[in-house]
Amino acid sequence: MTVIKKPEFKKSIVALVFILLLSTNFAFAQLVTNGSFENSNTGIVSGQDIEGWSILVANGINPAPVFEIVNDTVKHGNRALKANINGLGSNQWDIQAVAENIPANQGSTYYYSVWAKAEKPGAQVSLTVGNYSYTEYKALRPVTLTTEWQEYTMQYTVNDNQSNVRAPIHFSYNGNTDNVIYIDNLQIVDEDFGKIPVVVEAESGQGGSYFTENQYGDITAITTTVNYSGQTSPTDTNRIITCQVTFQDTGFYNLFARVRVGSGGFDDDSFFAGKGFGQKNPVSGSDWVFLNGLASAGFYVSDDWVDEPGTTGSGVWKWINVTKNYFPGTTPEESFYVGQDNLTKTFQFASREDGFEFDKFAFGRSDLYFTVDALDNKLPGKTTMVADSSLFYQGPPIAEGADKFLGNVMASDGFFANYWNQITPGNEGKWASIAYTSNISQWNWTGLDNLYNFAKEHDLIFKDHTLIWGQQQPSWINNLDTAQQRQYIETWIRMVGERYPDIDMVDVVNEPLKTHNPPDGNNGRANYKDALGGDGETGWDWVIKSFELARNYLPGVQLILNDYGIINDNNATTIYLEIIHLLKERDLIDGIGVQGHRFALERASNTTLKYNLDRLAETGLPVYISELDLGNLDNDGTPDDNIQLLLYQRIFPLLWEHPGVKGITLWGYLEGEMWQSSCYLILRNGSWRPAMDWLAGYVSDHLTTNREIETKLAEISLDQNYPNPFQSTTCIKYRITKPAHVKLHIYDIYGREVITLVDKKVNPGTYIAIWDAIKSGGSKAGCGTYFYRLITGDDIITKKMLLNN
């Protein structure tokens, strides 16, 4: 990447004033010339004395009306039109003030507003808009005025080919005799007036000496040359850029920024923004908001709505919604307000990390929604984020009815529960995302709360990710002694258990292998391994202690060990099994997690993959494939449908059909939101790539033929249990059409048998089995999802039920 540095950047005082340039069809502007009469001098007026207006009075009206520009009774600015009505004509329009030559486009819609009042009650006017052939597009007739200023509005569409129209105000009404009427601030605007984002190039502001310019084709970006570790305010004016921004309209605005996070990822992803408009105090924390964690935030696909924190990674130009990314997440959102007194505002932002680049900023009305395309090309925002739901898969979840789950991480399309029946947090569950400070009262749980609640609302299996990991840990943990570290680790795990009592599964330790990502302090990793016992006598004491804490504070939760590069590597599997056996001997582990990232699987032979899956399954523990993503080889080049399809067809059946594998979690599915960018399965418009078509069909064809059994005249049938969900007892009804040996089993979500309700030969008939939520050993079954399976010979039917507290 070529970088052109300009150290002299903005040493002189340069103020950016963003000038709104109207296109030849005048879209998005106030269309009435002199609508508030500010361009006119005070005094008596008639005829064409008022710029942009005509005063028209029919002959013979006696006494004649007197029109005057005044400055003592106004609604907007410093001028208003005063009409003294004395005598009347025979028609309403015999006395009128007309706003002339208002631009128009055929088929366009416009918004009309005006303020008016009278000195005495009973006054009336008519407000109209029409062409010069006296055809009206819209009228408010009559409007009865009060003695207080009131606004009157209407909407009209130009239904002819006129390029200029007029807006008369008629005064010849009986109630106006010997009365005085005031008119002010007539506005006619295009329907998109004020909806266009106001865009400011970052390099065009007034800046300090810590900035440099970088040129990338037609993009001029700025970044700082001086790193800074503070989190409350920029402190030094040399870090601050000041812009002057001119708006079209008043109101509340949200702030957006087009930025790029450098190769340092989470070390290159923060900055400060002024809290509201105006000159800010560099050392006052109350004047600034802190933006951090932007290495996994923002949007870059053109039709993405920039209305949430977002999930886009590093190395790409992306838009972030600054207002939605305040750090910590508990910081109240605060819009920018533009009042009538001054449409030009001062805005400031400040740098923090030298790998973070600014391209531009945009202000968009806070009641509107903006796509990446709208911000890139200054297109109007929309009042709703409407997706055509008919283009998206409507369900049921692809693996519904299977004896194992098919899950994913959350995406922004709003259709997650249509596809998947299990969910795992991405960054939301990681300690670094929650504990930005050592003050536990300020830990930000919002993201994880949302996913946990979503899982419960949609009856999804919830696996938390992750408790202990060398990467993405709180930076402050490294500065503590081991006793303090241990205290915080225990507090972290305890708070997870208390806050989320119904977690189904959790990755307790992630990537523990010594050359992977243990918290050993090497290569920028967290350094708290010794606080958990270090290697110790077993070589893995720190992992054992992590699981002991998890077992203590998350009782009833399935505890998982998770790592990458396992089943493709015989030696890695051997080391992994060493840890697993240590945990199993102590009854601390309930499942084995094997990451399925493309870089581990795409070139591995199926023979190797199966051999190591067999070795893991021999432990008797369920195996879960986590973080599965397949796309281009090496994730290089334009996403190739054929390569992805071939990889899925070769690898997925081996994983799904292995009897030891009880669930698979993909690591994303939506275009533009994948850690491995070529591995998405679904386009932003809801359409499927060929691999997704194949995957859905394959899983459907391997649901132990349940759907076929239920749609034909079967020898057995199985009803949905009732009640469902249930708290203590539920009834399961089944029917047999000929003598058969019947088995009815209950399984938990991990495929482990809980109890056998029926195991006997029965005659044709209808039967009811009752389950009182007791396991085969006599203990009470915990709340959660269970499967019940009816078997007679080769016929098998499986259904799902939910046990609540």
Side-chain angles (χ1 to χ4, degrees), residues 34-204:
N34 198 20
S36 284
F37 309 101
E38 300 302 301
N39 297 343
S40 302
N41 295 324
T42 56
I44 304 297
V45 293
S46 62
Q48 279 74 48
D49 290 345
I50 308 173
E51 180 185 354
W53 292 77
S54 297
I55 305 297
L56 304 176
V57 180
N59 294 330
I61 296 179
N62 188 27
V66 177
F67 287 86
E68 184 179 1
I69 300 295
V70 297
N71 60 9
D72 57 352
T73 306
V74 300
K75 176 60 182 176
H76 180 269
N78 300 304
R79 300 284 191 274
L81 177 64
K82 176 181 179 181
N84 292 269
I85 308 301
N86 301 309
L88 301 175
S90 56
N91 302 300
Q92 303 155 4
W93 56 83
D94 284 348
I95 304 172
Q96 58 181 312
V98 183
E100 302 280 11
N101 295 313
I102 301 166
N105 285 326
Q106 185 174 4
S108 294
T109 298
Y110 300 91
Y111 295 93
Y112 173 112
S113 64
V114 69
W115 290 84
K117 61 173 286 189
E119 285 190 351
K120 296 185 293 185
Q124 292 183 315
V125 296
S126 64
L127 308 172
T128 67
V129 180
N131 61 28
Y132 279 89
S133 298
Y134 306 108
T135 298
E136 292 180 348
Y137 305 127
K138 195 66 176 286
L140 296 176
R141 182 185 296 112
V143 170
T144 299
L145 306 181
T146 69
T147 57
E148 300 292 333
W149 284 108
Q150 288 194 23
E151 185 180 26
Y152 302 92
T153 63
M154 58 182 167
Q155 174 182 325
Y156 69 91
T157 301
V158 175
N159 53 19
D160 53 27
N161 61 358
Q162 300 300 306
S163 58
N164 287 281
V165 300
R166 60 201 300 268
I169 302 174
H170 301 155
F171 295 91
S172 188
Y173 283 93
N174 289 332
N176 296 349
T177 304
D178 299 323
N179 206 340
V180 176
I181 296 172
Y182 296 91
I183 303 294
D184 199 1
N185 197 26
L186 172 62
Q187 287 197 36
I188 295 177
V189 297
D190 185 279
E191 60 185 333
D192 288 325
F193 175 74
K195 296 181 181 179
I196 304 299
V198 182
V199 178
V200 181
E201 296 292 338
E203 75 276 9
S204 301

Side-chain angles (χ1 to χ4, degrees), residues 541-552:
D541 280 15
W542 69 274
V543 177
I544 294 170
K545 178 53 67 176
S546 298
F547 273 79
E548 288 176 348
L549 292 172
R551 184 69 88 201
N552 182 43

Side-chain angles (χ1 to χ4, degrees), residues 710-742:
E710 291 177 344
T711 56
K712 69 180 181 179
L713 293 175
E715 295 178 350
I716 62 172
S717 64
L718 180 65
D719 289 356
Q720 184 65 50
N721 67 300
Y722 180 82
N724 185 46
F726 67 102
Q727 293 184 333
S728 60
T729 302
T730 189
C731 299
I732 301 172
K733 181 187 292 187
Y734 61 95
R735 298 173 185 83
I736 306 297
T737 62
K738 67 179 184 179
H741 190 98
V742 174

Side-chain angles (χ1 to χ4, degrees), residues 317-331:
W317 288 109
K318 59 186 180 180
W319 282 99
I320 61 169
N321 188 323
V322 174
T323 312
K324 301 285 186 178
N325 274 285
Y326 290 168
F327 190 90
T330 53
T331 306

Side-chain angles (χ1 to χ4, degrees), residues 20 22 36 92 143 175 194 224 246 256 284-285 339 345 445 470 562 659 665 694 722 782 791 800:
L20 296 170
L22 304 182
S36 284
Q92 303 155 4
V143 170
T224 185
T246 298
F256 305 87
S284 173
K345 298 293 182 181
W445 301 90
N562 193 49
T665 304
W694 175 87
Y722 180 82
I791 305 172
K800 182 169 61 174

